[in-house]
Amino acid sequence: MISEVLQKAINGQITAEMWSANLYLSMAFYLERQGFTGMAHWMKKQWEEENGHACQLAGYVISRGGKATVDKIDVVPVDFGSPLEVFEQVYKHECRVSGMIDALLDVAVAQKDKATQAFLWGFVEEQTEEEATASGIVDKLKIAGTSGLLQIDAQLGQR
Ligand code: MG
């Protein structure tokens, strides 16, 4: 059985993951409107992934006898600047999420809940990947400049 404290903290993370999903969907629409259909495709995959994280967290809470909830999701930005600026925001956002997962793990440690700690380590690893992927795209966009944008757009469309 999961503690009330942990249940509340994980439900908070479910809301955060759903906000992330909306952020990426908003970025997808923004990029699609500008003709970057490959980048928009990448963002939609990201959107799916974040929804998946929310469901994984909910499934875990339920498997431990807790109650998973869907809370109010705050509005997300709608304008993001150049493709490079969009992906810089992705990187910054993923670093923030890493901090949230770390804080969540701290709660599980404080609650002495080993199962939740084990479960959350998977998310810690996932965040390392997310950060590396986003910063890798930022690097590529910097190297490519404006002239290489369509090539990167095509690459990201392969995701
Ligand atoms: Mg996530």
Side-chain angles (χ1 to χ4, degrees):
M1 183 89 186
I2 200 160
S3 72
E4 277 289 327
V5 173
L6 255 179
Q7 177 179 291
K8 190 165 179 251
I10 297 177
N11 275 319
Q13 189 59 34
I14 289 173
T15 304
E17 298 291 340
M18 293 175 78
W19 190 88
S20 292
N22 283 358
L23 174 69
Y24 291 130
L25 189 61
S26 183
M27 287 175 169
F29 293 164
Y30 175 82
L31 289 162
E32 197 170 329
R33 181 161 186 255
Q34 299 186 30
F36 296 111
T37 51
M39 292 181 193
H41 169 81
W42 190 94
M43 288 295 175
K44 283 179 188 169
K45 289 279 175 191
Q46 199 68 13
W47 167 58
E48 284 172 7
E49 209 175 280
E50 301 306 342
N51 279 324
H53 293 160
C55 288
Q56 248 178 292
L57 290 161
Y60 176 76
V61 169
I62 294 163
S63 74
R64 295 290 309 282
K67 184 179 180 184
T69 53
V70 174
D71 209 336
K72 194 182 89 181
I73 316 294
D74 287 339
V75 288
V76 293
V78 290
D79 288 306
F80 304 95
S82 68
L84 172 61
E85 285 167 331
V86 177
F87 280 92
E88 279 172 341
Q89 287 166 75
V90 170
Y91 176 64
K92 237 176 90 185
H93 176 65
E94 287 303 332
C95 290
R96 246 190 60 214
V97 174
S98 300
M100 288 179 192
I101 299 293
D102 283 356
L104 198 52
L105 187 53
D106 288 343
V107 177
V109 170
Q111 293 284 303
K112 300 184 181 0
D113 186 326
K114 306 293 190 294
T116 302
Q117 289 169 40
F119 169 73
L120 288 174
W121 277 113
F123 279 78
V124 172
E125 281 169 28
E126 164 74 18
Q127 281 314 119
T128 309
E129 243 177 71
E130 295 276 25
E131 284 183 28
T133 303
S135 77
I137 295 171
V138 167
D139 288 346
K140 279 207 177 98
L141 284 167
K142 281 182 183 165
I143 295 163
T146 314
S147 60
L149 269 179
L150 287 181
Q151 200 190 335
I152 294 190
D153 186 58
Q155 275 175 18
L156 293 177
Q158 302 297 314
R159 180 178 181 184

